[in-house]
Amino acid sequence: MQHVITLIKARLIQADLKEIDREFGEKGVGSLFTMILFKQALISVANLVDFELTVRLMYREHPELSLLYRQTSAEFEFAKYLRNKFVGHIKPELLGKALEWRPEMRQFLNMMSDSQIMELYNNWILETAINSYVNPDGKHKVFESETALDYPADRTRFLIYMTKIIRNGISFLEALISAMDIDYERLCNPDLGEQLRLAVMAGKTDFEFIKK
């Protein structure tokens, strides 16, 4: 069952990334809706980072997978950091730093029910999270300068970076799935005995609270 679980998890993450990549390609960015898609992209990449830890035994027989992942591992970790600080948890420390970095946030507090204004707030808080990804000496771990997403060069730099992360994630998962060499014929078309066994198992299913 474990290889089936691994396959499904890989395909779930990959499907999210593919759909997000397609939506960005067709519609671009610059709305609250695409910001929500971007947040989902960060969640999916963070799931990929956690998932990769569980499949490293495959690297013994498929070292090319390890090499493929390492080519983007630093970028994946950056995306996970953004997920943790900006999406998975809305850190008060992040909001406080955003107010310091972007004092104009105070000017629109009475307009936050407007989706365009909230897209601005999301950008300001996101760029604060980006700029906080620094070494102990204060040097940014990824970019050579601070990021202001309303500055075209900075915005383009970040979007290119995220596009690389999403597409390389898709490619890594595809290579991983191919290396698994799944016997789809056997799994998708079980014989009568296996069908009966699975039916009995389903009937005995006892649901429990899924712990963290």
Side-chain angles (χ1 to χ4, degrees):
M1 181 182 290
Q2 186 57 49
H3 64 296
V4 175
I5 292 173
T6 300
L7 172 65
I8 293 172
K9 190 166 186 177
R11 284 299 190 197
L12 284 171
I13 298 170
Q14 187 190 52
D16 286 351
L17 293 175
K18 281 184 173 181
E19 188 64 14
I20 291 165
D21 186 51
R22 184 186 67 79
E23 285 286 328
F24 282 156
E26 292 180 358
K27 300 177 181 177
V29 296
S31 68
L32 187 57
F33 172 71
T34 54
M35 176 58 71
I36 292 169
L37 279 181
F38 172 73
K39 290 179 180 181
Q40 180 57 51
L42 294 177
I43 292 171
S44 297
V45 174
N47 286 339
L48 168 60
V49 173
D50 293 339
F51 174 64
E52 187 267 342
L53 294 173
T54 70
V55 298
R56 288 185 174 179
L57 286 177
M58 290 184 62
Y59 294 167
R60 295 178 181 176
E61 296 184 8
H62 300 281
E64 72 280 3
L65 292 177
S66 177
L67 177 61
L68 185 60
Y69 185 84
R70 288 203 309 271
Q71 290 174 351
T72 320
S73 60
E75 290 89 341
F76 290 150
E77 289 293 340
F78 178 41
K80 183 175 180 179
Y81 174 85
L82 295 179
R83 189 286 305 264
N84 289 345
K85 308 306 179 187
F86 174 56
V87 183
H89 307 279
I90 303 176
K91 294 287 188 179
E93 297 86 351
L94 176 63
L95 298 182
K97 186 58 67 173
L99 285 165
E100 178 184 335
W101 164 251
R102 287 289 195 172
E104 60 266 41
M105 288 175 67
R106 293 171 172 82
Q107 300 173 19
F108 303 98
L109 293 173
N110 63 339
M111 301 172 62
M112 294 178 70
S113 59
D114 182 278
S115 64
Q116 291 182 327
I117 295 298
M118 285 313 299
E119 204 266 332
L120 280 176
Y121 271 82
N122 272 278
N123 276 326
W124 291 331
I125 297 166
L126 169 59
E127 68 188 24
T128 304
I130 294 169
N131 291 332
S132 72
Y133 193 62
V134 296
N135 291 313
D137 62 1
K139 181 178 173 57
H140 200 276
K141 294 183 178 182
V142 174
F143 300 131
E144 67 277 6
S145 62
E146 290 178 339
T147 295
L149 293 173
D150 54 3
Y151 178 55
D154 286 3
R155 188 173 184 85
T156 298
R157 177 180 69 180
F158 181 67
L159 291 176
I160 290 173
Y161 201 81
M162 282 307 303
T163 298
K164 174 185 177 182
I165 291 172
I166 291 170
R167 293 182 178 174
N168 285 12
I170 293 169
S171 297
F172 169 75
L173 289 167
E174 191 60 42
L176 176 74
I177 292 165
S178 296
M180 290 177 66
D181 194 25
I182 299 292
D183 185 353
Y184 291 101
E185 180 62 30
R186 181 180 64 83
L187 290 173
C188 299
N189 301 285
D191 59 31
L192 181 58
E194 179 65 4
Q195 291 181 45
L196 291 173
R197 186 187 72 82
L198 294 172
V200 170
M201 184 186 300
K204 293 181 178 179
T205 299
D206 183 17
F207 289 102
E208 298 177 347
F209 187 84
I210 298 176
K211 300 178 180 178
K212 183 177 180 180

